[in-house]
Amino acid sequence: MATNPSTSRGTWNTKLGFILAAAGSAVGLGNIWRFPTETASNGGAAFLIVYLVCVLLIGLPVMIAELSIGRSSKKNPVGAFRALSNNKFFPLVGVWGVLCGVMILSFYTIIAGWTFSHVFVEIFTFAGMDGAASILADFGNGYVNAIFALLFMALTIGIIRGGVSDGIEKATKLMMPLLILILVVMTLFVVFQPGAAEGLRVYLMPDFSMVTPNLVLAALGQAFFSLSLGMGALITYGSYLSKKENIVEAAGYVTLADVGIAFLAGLLIMPTIFLAQAQGVEIYDADGSFLAGPALIFQILPELFAQIGGVLGLIVGVSFFFLLSLAALTSTISLLEVPTAYVIDEHGVKRKKAALYVGLFVLTLSMIISFNTALIDTIDFIFSVIGLPLGGLLICIFIGYFWKTQSAVEEMKNGFKDIKNSRLISLWSIFIKYICPIIIAIILIRTIFS
Ligand code: TRP
């Protein structure tokens, strides 16, 4: 197998560029859609707290682990495991990661397509073109799903073909500040609407009777998905990182950005659900639980935008779906980059070609899913709910018992001079060797057997 010299793999131009790209990977539909709906259907603040604990105790250590593996090996996930140990099993963990990336991307583009099509649904509704609006809003229409998935994939391929600094870094540097701006303005608007208080109460007042094993699993799954962990996305992004940068600090910023934006999205969505209810929109389904998933974002919220009405309703509606599209795009970029980097490193294909081929391959899967959207839940369950924590578990075992935490700490020393005095690092080693794998394993075993 031909391997390109590492010099041609690309690097991040600036530290901020890297942090925004990694935060862009993290911040996605997972934050603005999945987090608020998981929170809503799992007892509000109780879920929020368990989620924060999962992020701190498991997400952050695993993120530092992935970045160290990536920067040390300067390879895609498959090449990385091969470079750092002679063990024949672990490259398969990399293959699993690449596969998870491909499969998650195949349905993620469809949901991303929905968010983008709803920008037009809002515009058509405003213009009184209800026929066109209802065609676009129909998720059962495979052709519409396929067209918007294609559009989204084309954008993603275009950016990945541009390369690490001229493609990914430039695009995310532009999109992330815009995303944050729209989110903050919209949140401020919603929080001060009369009637928002009920939503804020459910979001911020914990009901600990809701904490069940299933809630913990949901929170852990959400932490992995939201931080983009467990499939080597951050091994790949870490492989483009300069030795000058401090991995631990960077991981802290990325986690903070991800959690901060998820929290803000909750402040936006939870009150919005209750505003919609006050306007007579049904927010519970037949068995009394919150309408979550697509219904929440694509039915409840548009009804609210329609009730706001006029140009203001249009602006709020378009901004909201544009915000979601931006968040989704910075995430599809990272999902496509992983298999692309694999093809570049391991099969010696040039980036432009690799991005196109991999993108078209994933698009083929997306086309099938476009016409069979019921597949989404199954693929999501196998490759994200199970797949990502499983990948995370194996990454912990790899560092703890094969590559060794000491080697990872050596890697972290680059760009982190005071690491010797840092008690955090011995804590990190204990977490990666014992605490993270045990907790993840318990939760996974429970899920598989229930
Ligand atoms: N983190 C993204 C979100 O919250 C999704 C995502 C992008 C992802 N890249 C990933 C999830 C890699 C797992 C692994 O929407």
Side-chain angles (χ1 to χ4, degrees), residues 157-178:
I157 294 175
I159 293 168
I160 294 296
R161 280 167 64 96
V164 177
S165 54
D166 286 342
I168 304 177
E169 184 168 354
K170 263 202 189 131
T172 43
K173 237 178 169 167
L174 191 78
M175 289 192 277
M176 287 304 284
L178 188 59

Side-chain angles (χ1 to χ4, degrees), residues 23-32 34 101 104 108 222 224-234 258 327-328 330-335 338 384 388:
S25 160
V27 175
L29 298 173
N31 300 61
I32 301 174
R34 202 170 143 161
I104 294 174
Y108 200 94
Q222 175 62 22
F224 269 94
F225 189 84
S226 186
L227 294 169
S228 300
L229 296 176
M231 55 152 272
L234 286 163
D258 187 61
T330 56
S331 295
T332 52
I333 291 174
S334 82
L335 285 164
V338 175
S384 45
L388 298 175

Side-chain angles (χ1 to χ4, degrees), residues 238-317:
S239 74
Y240 308 130
L241 189 60
S242 135
K243 297 272 185 203
K244 289 199 311 267
E245 308 302 351
N246 182 335
I247 286 179
V248 179
E249 181 195 55
Y253 283 132
V254 174
T255 305
L256 199 65
D258 187 61
V259 171
I261 290 179
F263 182 72
L264 260 183
L267 282 182
L268 168 64
I269 306 274
M270 294 292 287
T272 308
I273 301 176
F274 286 87
L275 289 180
Q277 187 192 34
Q279 302 280 349
V281 178
E282 192 49 63
I283 65 169
Y284 297 100
D285 64 15
D287 53 316
S289 48
F290 269 109
L291 283 173
L296 173 71
I297 298 290
F298 298 111
Q299 277 169 31
I300 296 182
L301 299 187
E303 285 188 57
L304 180 75
F305 303 147
Q307 260 142 11
I308 297 174
V311 179
L312 183 62
L314 174 72
I315 295 175
V316 175

Side-chain angles (χ1 to χ4, degrees), residues 108-287:
Y108 200 94
T109 31
I110 293 172
I111 303 174
W114 291 345
T115 66
F116 196 47
S117 66
H118 273 71
V119 170
F120 300 97
V121 172
E122 290 297 312
I123 295 172
F124 288 156
T125 308
F126 177 76
M129 298 158 68
D130 290 339
S134 60
I135 292 176
L136 288 192
D138 176 12
F139 299 144
N141 189 330
Y143 296 100
V144 175
N145 293 342
I147 290 169
F148 278 92
L150 181 110
L151 217 69
F152 223 87
M153 186 58 91
L155 277 173
T156 311
I157 294 175
I159 293 168
I160 294 296
R161 280 167 64 96
V164 177
S165 54
D166 286 342
I168 304 177
E169 184 168 354
K170 263 202 189 131
T172 43
K173 237 178 169 167
L174 191 78
M175 289 192 277
M176 287 304 284
L178 188 59
L179 180 153
I180 293 169
L181 180 75
I182 299 176
L183 182 59
V184 169
V185 171
M186 287 198 71
T187 307
L188 286 176
F189 171 78
V190 164
V191 165
F192 290 111
Q193 295 296 309
E198 175 62 12
L200 290 177
R201 196 187 57 75
V202 173
Y203 184 40
L204 300 172
M205 298 284 219
D207 171 4
F208 286 112
S209 68
M210 300 285 287
V211 180
T212 58
N214 283 343
L215 178 142
V216 178
L217 169 72
L220 181 73
Q222 175 62 22
F224 269 94
F225 189 84
S226 186
L227 294 169
S228 300
L229 296 176
M231 55 152 272
L234 286 163
I235 294 182
T236 309
Y237 273 24
S239 74
Y240 308 130
L241 189 60
S242 135
K243 297 272 185 203
K244 289 199 311 267
E245 308 302 351
N246 182 335
I247 286 179
V248 179
E249 181 195 55
Y253 283 132
V254 174
T255 305
L256 199 65
D258 187 61
V259 171
I261 290 179
F263 182 72
L264 260 183
L267 282 182
L268 168 64
I269 306 274
M270 294 292 287
T272 308
I273 301 176
F274 286 87
L275 289 180
Q277 187 192 34
Q279 302 280 349
V281 178
E282 192 49 63
I283 65 169
Y284 297 100
D285 64 15
D287 53 316

